[in-house]
Amino acid sequence: MTVIDFSAFIGRLATASGETILPFFRTSLSIDDKSKTKDFDPVTEADRAAEAVMRRLIKASFPQHGIVGEEFGNEREDADYVWVLDPIDGTKSFIGGFPIWGTLIALLHKGTPVYGMMHQPFIGERFSGDNGSATYKGPTSERRLQVRRCASLSEATTYTTSPLLMNEHDRAVFGRIEQGARLSRYGGDCYSYCMLAAGHVDLVVETELKPYDIAALIPIVTGAGGIVTTWEGKPAQGGGRIVAAGDARVHEEALKLLNQ
């Protein structure tokens, strides 16, 4: 089977998860803290319900496939095809009522992300990619995604979810990026990468990401012509410290600053 064979099914996963999540959004819902440290790591009924729905659909349709999910762990992760699920990427925005969160669905083939989707059901947007191309579907339009050219960091708009999520050392290193960029903004989670793919942002720098935070976004950014690696320039699907850029020149400049 090819990636194209899976695209309609991924659309079903997005629709089912969105229908599960939306009744919880901007309501009084219970919030648990998964963190075992002082850092707040929220999870809601919506996170769990949406992942459970997607897992049921995957198991019914592709019982031989593996699943890696944020809320319910890993199953058959050594399978040739593995689904990587983050039911709500941006849970802190979700519980605050801000619509800058999304459901991340990735399909890995032999460890490599070959298809990814970010679905924002409240706004009605879907960003998808297969490394070769990327597409936006919204309430009023559908178009191909394309990163924009940016000659240098001094001309770039850069995003990170929050420097407070970084350890002290990485925060200081990230400061070099902020000092060199034309504009630095915070927030966004998965949306930052989608806006990079759409040509509105030039650079995204993050730390301590999990595989389910980034796997779906790699085929979208890459399909739009961008680059996603670790700070060391290695493949990013395992998570960790991540840098994504729309232009190879900005990516190269960022890597040099991050590794000084």
Side-chain angles (χ1 to χ4, degrees):
M1 297 184 74
T2 68
V3 173
I4 294 174
D5 296 321
F6 291 118
S7 60
F9 178 71
I10 291 172
R12 286 179 56 204
L13 293 180
T15 297
S17 61
E19 290 173 349
T20 303
I21 292 168
L22 282 182
F24 293 98
F25 187 48
R26 293 182 177 171
T27 65
S28 298
L29 73 168
S30 62
I31 301 166
D32 296 327
D33 185 0
K34 294 188 292 184
S35 175
K36 295 179 174 60
T37 67
K38 65 179 181 180
D39 297 323
F40 181 48
D41 186 12
V43 61
T44 71
E45 302 163 71
D47 295 84
R48 298 187 181 105
E51 184 171 319
V53 165
M54 290 190 286
R55 281 177 177 267
R56 283 198 296 270
L57 285 171
I58 292 168
K59 290 178 181 179
S61 300
F62 303 106
Q64 74 277 24
H65 288 191
I67 303 175
V68 173
E70 179 175 12
E71 307 307 334
F72 297 113
N74 305 341
E75 303 177 54
R76 294 176 54 85
E77 56 186 313
D78 59 344
D80 280 354
Y81 285 100
V82 176
W83 298 88
V84 183
L85 310 173
D86 189 347
I88 301 178
D89 184 77
T91 301
K92 293 174 183 176
S93 292
F94 181 86
I95 64 177
F98 291 88
I100 47 172
W101 50 272
T103 297
L104 296 179
I105 305 168
L107 177 62
L108 274 58
H109 182 233
K110 296 184 177 179
T112 299
V114 293
Y115 195 94
M117 176 178 285
M118 192 284 268
H119 180 217
Q120 215 306 320
F122 184 75
I123 300 174
E125 293 184 321
R126 292 184 181 186
F127 301 80
S128 60
D130 63 3
N131 294 314
S133 64
T135 303
Y136 167 82
K137 293 183 180 181
T140 60
S141 68
E142 179 177 341
R143 67 181 184 274
R144 182 168 179 170
L145 293 170
Q146 184 67 46
V147 298
R148 67 183 177 193
R149 292 178 60 81
C150 183
S152 67
L153 182 62
S154 63
E155 301 175 23
T157 296
T158 184
Y159 263 76
T160 191
T161 299
S162 172
L164 297 178
L165 297 173
M166 302 177 181
N167 62 43
E168 186 176 349
H169 172 267
D170 289 348
R171 193 180 310 141
V173 173
F174 174 70
R176 301 171 193 158
I177 299 292
E178 288 198 295
Q179 289 171 8
R182 181 175 66 176
L183 176 65
S184 180
R185 302 293 294 166
Y186 303 154
D189 292 286
C190 57
Y191 244 105
S192 300
Y193 296 87
C194 293
M195 292 300 97
L196 186 147
H200 304 300
V201 172
D202 303 296
L203 183 69
V204 181
V205 180
E206 306 267 39
T207 65
E208 300 183 33
L209 296 190
K210 304 295 189 226
Y212 47 73
D213 294 319
I214 191 64
L217 299 166
I218 293 171
I220 299 172
V221 172
T222 305
I227 305 168
V228 187
T229 70
T230 65
W231 286 18
E232 295 75 30
K234 304 295 185 181
Q237 58 261 31
R241 303 188 301 175
I242 304 299
V243 55
D247 193 301
R249 293 169 292 183
V250 173
H251 182 261
E252 182 179 2
E253 191 174 348
L255 286 185
K256 287 179 180 177
L257 288 174
L258 293 171
N259 289 285
Q260 279 183 355

